[in-house]
Amino acid sequence: MKKNIAIVDDHELVAKGVSQFFTDHPRFEVITILNDPLEALERIPILKPQIVLMDLDMPKLNGLELMEKVRARLPETHFVILTMHVDKNTVKKAMDLGAMGYVSKNADETEFIACVEKVAKGDKFYSQDAMQALLHNSSKIGKSNVAKLSALTPRETEILKHVAEGLSNKEIAEELFIAVRTVETHRKTVMEKLQVNKVAGLVRIAVQEGLI
Amino acid sequence: MNRYFIILLGVLCVSTGLRQDLADSVFNNIADVKTYNTDSAYTLLKNLSITTRKDSLRYIRVWAAILEDQGKLEEAKNLLLENISRCTSQDTAELSESTNNLGLLYSNQGENDSAGIYLIKSLEYRNQLGDSLKIAASLGNLGLLFSNQSNYQKAEEYLRKALNLKLKSSASTRSLGIGYLNLGLAIGNQGRYEEELGLYRLSLKYFQEINDLRGVSMLYNNFGWNYHHAIYNPDSAIFYYKKAIAIRKDLKNILGTAQSMTNLAELYIKLGNQTEALKLLEESEDLAFEADSKREIYLVELNYARFLESIGDYQAALEKLKVAEAYEDSVINLESRTKVLELETKYATAQKEQQIANQKLQLSEKEASLRTQQLQIAGLIGGLVILILFGLVFYNQYRAKQNQKLQAAILSEKERGFESIIIATEEERKRISKDLHDGIGQQLSALKMALNNMVGKVNDDEQREDLELISEQFSKSAEEVRQVSHQMMPRTLMDYGLIGAIEDLLQNSFKFSDIQYDFEHHNVDQRFEERVEISLYRVLQELINNVIKHSGASEVSVQLLKNKDKLVLFVEDNGKGLDGAKTDGQGFLNIKSRLDMVKGSVNYTPSLESGTSATVSIPIA
């Protein structure tokens, strides 16, 4: 028995193009194309398709919200996101809300079909670019327990704090009523004592030590 | 009259000399330039960037000195008073300078009591500081003040103290020249003319040594005066006056030239050579007009009038007075015009009275009446001058205030215009980005899918290859549209804020380069004002662009922190540094104007690994 597919996309052309991939397909059948997400919210629980192919950016109701609402009532429905947005936050949110598949609208047919096949079997499939987006990395600088500042004099600690506050050497000199050259020397000493060779290292330690 | 001018010159000369002694070389230079060209000094001063309170105090003091040179005495006085009130007890040096300048200013205005108070204050401050040259300068100024009060004995005492101190502490040649000149004058005023000449000769030697023509010409003028009035030797007097005139002409010192000419003219009158005298006065008049200086014309005409008056030509004297009056500012014209009319009537009456007196009385009585008349005229002229000065000061203040208002208005208008342009641009970008993304982008995707669908149905291999090629092109176009749309207005920024947007920006920017990056943040999970977020994002975009295009770096660190009331962004690379790059390029300008809009700032320092570290701060509410 063929698996039933519903397509939700406010762009008629796109929806039609997608549906044509499944014309005469042995294992899948497109049972409905819905261009209005609110209509989709009504119809999907009635039609109970196994797979929903869905755009994200839609007027009135966003794809992720639609998915959340539908899955609250039909948790077994598999959602495949079909979108132009492949950024970390969106991908991550989709993943957290339980989307089984995630494909860029720029993906080629093979990747697209592969995705639907996998999802139909109950596996997750996130396309290459979506996975890559998830790897966009940043890290929060947290507090550390290792006291690194014990080697610094109070004046050096003060300089470190001002550097991390974004003050230039000149501004620090004015703030502390000392010469710019003196600030430069202190800065160098601080870097040596903390064994860092970049401003970034200074900033990180200042935050870890709670100076900021 | 001539003696008065000589004393006045002495004061001016010393006052500039003192300001030359300012400690800091920058302000020192400006004070130096001011001696020769007030406008250049003003330009130099305006271009200084003042960052510290100490500098701002100095700046205001030098500015006041320039204003004083421009004749804006009241403005200068107010600035100095304000400066003094801003000083704390730690600013002894500044206090000593400002009180000194204020004292000199009062002294120039003839307000001897106030002048004395401030000059003594300055001397006290300077005694605290212990700089003997400055102490000497203060003593000298007090000496000159006593001269002004005609207390020449006291004057001599102070000027001698000053000179001795200067000699002991190896003062500059110029300063010594001035010291001898002023002491000579004080002694001359006590009738010791030979001694006076001896001191002048010493002074002359110093001025000649450093080729200070201003000083030399002043001395020649005084020599002339001495030979003219004290030790009567008309030939020598004429010789020195002429030398003074020649030098002052060369120096384009119009006022000085005119003064020496007037002195010489007076001598010629004494010698009965009125033609020569008139010629000189006419020439000095021409000089003043040639220089087109209101102040000089006014003063020269006033001298001319006095001369004409002294030879009894009241009608001509009145003409000259009218010219003088015309060169004062128009604001006070109404008042002064009535004054002149009054004067005219009085002249006419006085003349008639004189005629009657002539007929009635004997020659001796006639002379007596002439004297009274002269006194009256002098009084009237004095009144007129005070009136004119008062009006001038008032008008200048008014004009300065108006000008300030206008400048402020223009500036805020510019800022507003600039800001609205950026806001409009961002709005437009948002709109175009959305249109591109939702319209053309989606359509391209749909067309590509439709095409792919066709490929599956075509049997002809060649045709299928062509279609696949076209489909690939569609993919590229769709990707390009997506990229452009994203660059125009990153939706992540609007939807998720700075961290998400920066992550995306870094990933996309460095995707095709060999540059390793890391991004750390602290305390910035919340959302900020849209303009702050967009500005910071755009600035980072430019900085990243610079790193990729120009730095040759292999590593970049990006850090974003919130710290009390500002957002701080650090972008550091290990490239070749900013040395070769132009920081006035379009990219840097973009950064600067973006930040100006949100009152942010950026500074670039060489990073330890020879790359660049850019620090961006944006205040948040």
Side-chain angles (χ1 to χ4, degrees):
Chain A
M1 195 186 131
K2 287 188 182 180
K3 300 235 175 190
N4 289 341
I5 293 178
I7 297 175
V8 186
D9 195 324
D10 60 318
H11 290 85
E12 281 178 47
L13 258 177
V14 179
K16 231 182 232 161
V18 173
S19 78
Q20 278 171 356
F21 290 152
F22 301 98
T23 319
D24 305 326
H25 198 282
R27 287 180 298 284
F28 303 106
E29 186 173 0
V30 175
I31 55 165
T32 182
I33 295 179
L34 299 155
N35 298 122
D36 180 352
L38 291 179
E39 193 193 342
L41 185 59
E42 265 177 45
R43 302 278 295 155
I44 291 174
I46 299 167
L47 295 168
K48 294 191 171 59
Q50 277 91 3
I51 297 170
V52 177
L53 301 181
M54 180 187 67
D55 189 15
L56 280 185
D57 203 22
M58 292 182 289
K60 292 187 259 187
L61 191 64
N62 166 317
L64 291 177
E65 289 166 334
L66 174 63
M67 176 169 79
E68 205 177 358
K69 289 192 159 118
V70 171
R71 279 176 49 83
R73 288 156 70 182
L74 295 172
E76 67 276 18
T77 314
H78 295 330
F79 276 82
V80 172
I81 312 284
L82 192 59
T83 180
M84 307 268 295
H85 298 299
V86 194
D87 60 80
K88 179 186 167 188
N89 289 291
T90 316
V91 177
K92 197 163 175 315
K93 210 165 169 191
M95 200 176 243
D96 290 347
L97 290 174
M100 294 290 284
Y102 201 108
V103 198
S104 156
K105 278 188 181 170
N106 286 324
D108 59 27
E109 192 183 342
T110 341
E111 193 177 14
F112 186 77
I113 296 288
C115 173
V116 177
E117 298 251 21
K118 276 250 182 197
V119 169
K121 280 189 223 152
D123 293 333
K124 275 195 177 170
F125 184 99
Y126 277 57
S127 68
Q128 198 64 30
D129 42 358
M131 288 310 287
Q132 220 157 43
L134 275 179
L135 295 175
H136 291 196
N137 244 331
S138 71
S139 50
K140 229 180 224 189
I141 311 176
K143 301 265 185 282
S144 102
N145 298 321
V146 191
K148 290 175 182 161
L149 299 186
S150 50
L152 302 187
T153 65
R155 183 44 43 121
E156 284 163 354
T157 311
E158 209 167 357
I159 299 233
L160 173 63
K161 178 172 185 286
H162 286 316
V163 168
E165 276 170 350
L167 264 57
S168 68
N169 286 352
K170 206 175 142 212
E171 285 164 335
I172 297 174
E174 274 162 25
E175 182 82 24
L176 301 180
F177 302 108
I178 53 179
V180 178
R181 286 302 282 265
T182 318
V183 178
E184 283 166 5
T185 318
H186 278 312
R187 230 176 129 140
K188 234 174 120 189
T189 321
V190 172
M191 283 182 138
E192 276 163 15
K193 284 186 178 173
L194 297 176
Q195 294 178 315
V196 295
N197 53 7
K198 291 197 293 187
V199 177
L202 290 181
V203 173
R204 192 178 306 123
I205 290 174
V207 174
Q208 286 171 344
E209 296 289 320
L211 291 179
I212 296 297
Chain B
M1 165 198 94
N2 306 309
R3 179 67 85 163
Y4 169 75
F5 272 120
I6 296 165
I7 294 170
L8 183 68
L9 261 182
V11 176
L12 282 177
C13 182
V14 171
S15 74
T16 37
L18 287 176
R19 276 163 212 149
Q20 229 179 12
D21 284 338
L22 284 173
D24 193 285
S25 65
V26 180
F27 291 98
N28 218 5
N29 279 342
I30 294 175
D32 225 356
V33 169
K34 190 177 74 63
T35 321
Y36 306 101
N37 187 337
T38 311
D39 289 341
S40 310
Y42 183 51
T43 317
L44 275 177
L45 189 70
K46 265 199 322 199
N47 284 333
L48 283 183
S49 73
I50 298 299
T51 46
T52 65
R53 202 177 72 91
K54 194 174 155 200
D55 276 352
S56 98
L57 290 170
R58 284 185 193 176
Y59 178 96
I60 288 173
R61 165 160 43 84
V62 177
W63 188 26
I66 290 173
L67 284 174
E68 187 185 349
D69 277 10
Q70 293 172 339
K72 301 173 184 169
L73 301 182
E74 280 308 309
E75 268 181 77
K77 204 190 319 185
N78 288 338
L79 276 179
L80 285 172
L81 282 168
E82 201 192 314
N83 226 26
I84 291 168
S85 71
R86 278 178 60 203
C87 285
T88 65
S89 54
Q90 272 122 45
D91 298 315
T92 316
E94 183 54 45
L95 277 169
S96 78
E97 296 303 324
S98 282
T99 46
N100 179 56
N101 287 4
L102 187 58
L104 290 172
L105 184 57
Y106 275 124
S107 161
N108 284 351
Q109 286 188 308
E111 293 182 37
N112 291 333
D113 290 350
S114 304
I117 291 170
Y118 282 104
L119 287 177
I120 287 171
K121 266 192 192 170
S122 173
L123 180 60
E124 283 169 1
Y125 289 129
R126 284 176 171 174
N127 275 330
Q128 277 175 40
L129 291 168
D131 181 341
S132 42
L133 282 179
K134 299 249 173 186
I135 296 171
S138 275
L139 288 170
N141 290 338
L142 279 164
L144 287 170
L145 185 66
F146 284 120
S147 276
N148 284 353
Q149 291 174 318
S150 308
N151 188 347
Y152 297 116
Q153 275 178 331
K154 273 270 178 206
E156 191 193 337
E157 185 191 325
Y158 274 89
L159 287 169
R160 217 179 264 288
K161 270 192 210 164
L163 186 57
N164 285 338
L165 203 53
K166 280 182 185 175
L167 285 169
K168 254 189 250 164
S169 39
S170 57
S172 73
T173 315
R174 183 157 186 272
S175 158
L176 287 172
I178 293 168
Y180 278 113
L181 168 63
N182 289 332
L183 182 59
L185 202 53
I187 285 173
N189 277 319
Q190 298 175 65
R192 283 137 65 193
Y193 297 118
E194 290 297 342
E195 219 180 315
E196 177 186 13
L197 279 178
L199 289 164
Y200 282 172
R201 284 196 194 97
L202 281 170
S203 170
L204 184 63
K205 229 174 63 193
Y206 282 113
F207 282 130
Q208 278 171 338
E209 194 183 320
I210 52 164
N211 205 23
D212 184 341
L213 293 175
R214 242 176 108 102
V216 169
S217 69
M218 218 182 299
L219 280 161
Y220 283 151
N221 182 72
N222 288 9
F223 276 133
W225 195 92
N226 240 14
Y227 285 121
H228 175 183
H229 293 274
I231 307 163
Y232 189 60
N233 181 348
D235 286 344
S236 296
I238 292 172
F239 171 75
Y240 280 114
Y241 278 147
K242 280 190 171 166
K243 272 181 119 169
I245 291 169
I247 294 175
R248 287 177 162 183
K249 262 189 192 166
D250 261 350
L251 289 175
K252 303 218 181 337
N253 175 355
I254 291 166
L255 189 57
T257 313
Q259 280 162 4
S260 293
M261 280 180 166
T262 319
N263 285 347
L264 185 52
E266 203 185 323
L267 180 58
Y268 278 132
I269 296 162
K270 199 170 183 179
L271 295 170
N273 191 346
Q274 291 202 352
T275 351
E276 203 59 43
L278 266 173
K279 228 171 76 188
L280 280 166
L281 285 167
E282 262 164 32
E283 201 181 339
S284 58
E285 187 179 40
D286 286 346
L287 270 176
F289 277 106
E290 190 190 320
D292 196 25
S293 153
K294 281 187 182 171
R295 186 162 162 253
E296 321 301 12
I297 293 172
Y298 169 69
L299 286 168
V300 166
E301 291 299 310
L302 217 56
N303 278 344
Y304 207 157
R306 284 177 185 181
F307 162 69
L308 289 169
E309 175 202 314
S310 74
I311 59 167
D313 191 349
Y314 296 115
Q315 200 51 49
L318 193 61
E319 295 290 339
K320 293 297 168 197
L321 261 185
K322 279 183 178 169
V323 179
E325 180 242 345
Y327 275 87
E328 280 303 307
D329 278 293
S330 50
V331 163
I332 50 154
N333 268 356
L334 269 178
E335 276 175 310
S336 54
R337 209 164 280 153
T338 20
K339 194 81 195 166
V340 168
L341 280 175
E342 223 178 286
L343 195 64
E344 200 163 23
T345 337
K346 283 191 181 169
Y347 276 137
T349 329
Q351 233 171 356
K352 268 180 200 157
E353 275 171 9
Q354 194 199 346
Q355 276 171 1
I356 296 163
N358 274 350
Q359 289 161 359
K360 276 186 181 172
L361 300 167
Q362 295 304 312
L363 253 162
S364 60
E365 281 175 322
K366 179 179 154 194
E367 262 185 30
S369 104
L370 245 166
R371 194 166 290 265
T372 342
Q373 214 177 13
Q374 276 175 344
L375 270 173
Q376 269 179 354
I377 292 164
L380 284 170
I381 291 172
L384 186 66
V385 168
I386 289 168
L387 210 68
I388 286 168
L389 279 177
F390 191 73
L392 185 70
V393 166
F394 172 76
Y395 176 65
N396 273 335
Q397 268 179 343
Y398 170 79
R399 204 166 45 180
K401 217 173 268 174
Q402 287 298 329
N403 207 17
Q404 251 172 12
K405 266 189 207 162
L406 182 70
Q407 289 302 328
I410 289 172
L411 209 71
S412 86
E413 195 57 36
K414 257 190 198 164
E415 261 174 24
R416 270 201 356 237
F418 181 65
E419 196 170 327
S420 56
I421 286 173
I422 291 204
I423 290 169
T425 312
E426 291 295 351
E427 280 305 313
E428 192 61 9
R429 278 183 175 176
K430 235 188 254 178
R431 192 185 64 75
I432 296 175
S433 162
K434 199 168 161 50
D435 284 357
L436 274 178
H437 190 276
D438 297 352
I440 300 173
Q442 300 275 358
Q443 276 168 31
L444 279 175
S445 295
L447 285 170
K448 198 195 96 183
M449 284 181 198
L451 206 62
N452 278 348
N453 215 35
M454 272 176 69
V455 175
K457 290 176 187 158
V458 169
N459 292 323
D460 186 333
D461 280 354
E462 210 172 303
Q463 249 184 358
R464 184 163 36 226
E465 261 172 45
D466 284 349
L467 283 174
E468 271 168 358
L469 216 65
I470 294 172
S471 163
E472 221 167 89
Q473 284 304 319
F474 267 113
S475 278
K476 274 189 191 157
S477 304
E479 175 60 20
E480 218 161 284
V481 167
R482 205 185 66 76
Q483 290 274 4
V484 171
S485 152
H486 187 80
Q487 261 177 15
M488 293 199 84
M489 182 55 64
R491 194 167 303 202
T492 1
L493 182 61
M494 299 290 108
D495 292 349
Y496 298 102
L498 279 170
I499 297 179
I502 293 177
E503 283 168 350
D504 268 4
L505 174 64
L506 294 173
Q507 164 82 10
N508 290 329
S509 303
F510 293 120
K511 195 154 52 176
F512 302 110
S513 75
D514 294 328
I515 303 176
Q516 295 292 317
Y517 71 90
D518 59 58
F519 172 39
E520 294 171 308
H521 51 87
H522 170 67
N523 207 9
V524 278
D525 297 316
Q526 86 226 58
R527 297 299 301 265
F528 302 95
E529 251 183 281
E530 187 177 85
R531 48 194 232 126
V532 168
E533 288 188 338
I534 292 181
S535 297
L536 193 113
Y537 184 87
R538 295 281 183 223
V539 168
L540 179 60
Q541 229 172 0
E542 288 287 355
L543 288 171
I544 297 283
N545 249 339
N546 287 340
V547 170
I548 293 176
K549 277 194 201 149
H550 307 298
S551 77
S554 62
E555 284 170 28
V556 181
S557 299
V558 178
Q559 291 174 314
L560 180 65
L561 323 175
K562 192 182 80 145
N563 159 31
K564 274 182 277 177
D565 47 2
K566 59 183 183 177
L567 266 176
V568 188
L569 175 75
F570 297 90
V571 179
E572 187 179 23
D573 66 54
N574 64 346
K576 58 177 188 258
L578 272 180
D579 284 350
K582 284 187 294 180
T583 45
D584 54 356
Q586 191 56 43
F588 288 100
L589 282 181
N590 286 345
I591 291 176
K592 210 189 152 317
S593 51
R594 280 276 171 195
L595 289 172
D596 281 348
M597 220 184 81
V598 288
K599 309 222 169 350
S601 64
V602 61
N603 70 67
Y604 306 93
T605 44
S607 158
L608 207 68
E609 294 187 319
S610 87
T612 306
S613 167
T615 309
V616 176
S617 298
I618 300 180
I620 44 178

